[in-house]
Amino acid sequence: TERLKPSPKPLLKAIGLLEAKFDETLIIGDSESDIRAAHAAGIDSMLCYPASHHIYHDIEKLTSLAPTYIIHGLDEAVGIVNR
């Protein structure tokens, strides 16, 4: 789309193209724009915040955005997605 995150338009377009269900969709991201885009699209968000990420992003700021899940590595995502 012409718009970038945190606009929900890219996510909404992907959901539409994939014919996905909103209640079964989540975005895995590592930044404020990812979490904001998920909220704007009405889908769950998974903040991936590995140990080295403190160099780039402030964890307190990101958690204040209320992501649905917080993980520290993508390997943790599998257990959450398979619930």
Side-chain angles (χ1 to χ4, degrees):
T1 69
E2 296 174 12
R3 306 239 7 213
L4 303 174
K5 298 177 294 181
S7 168
K9 288 187 177 185
L11 298 177
L12 296 172
K13 183 170 185 173
I15 291 167
L17 290 172
L18 295 170
E19 298 178 1
K21 298 177 183 176
F22 279 81
D23 63 341
E24 295 179 358
T25 301
L26 68 82
I27 180 174
I28 300 173
D30 65 352
S31 69
E32 181 178 342
S33 63
D34 296 322
I35 306 305
R36 290 191 186 282
H39 286 309
I43 62 173
D44 287 343
S45 58
M46 183 178 291
L47 171 63
C48 184
Y49 196 87
S52 62
H53 223 56
H54 72 279
I55 297 168
Y56 308 105
H57 299 287
D58 177 13
I59 187 66
E60 290 180 19
K61 183 175 183 179
L62 292 173
T63 57
S64 74
L65 299 171
T68 311
Y69 306 98
I70 299 173
I71 60 173
H72 301 286
L74 290 176
D75 56 319
E76 294 176 52
V78 175
I80 294 170
V81 171
N82 286 331
R83 288 185 191 167

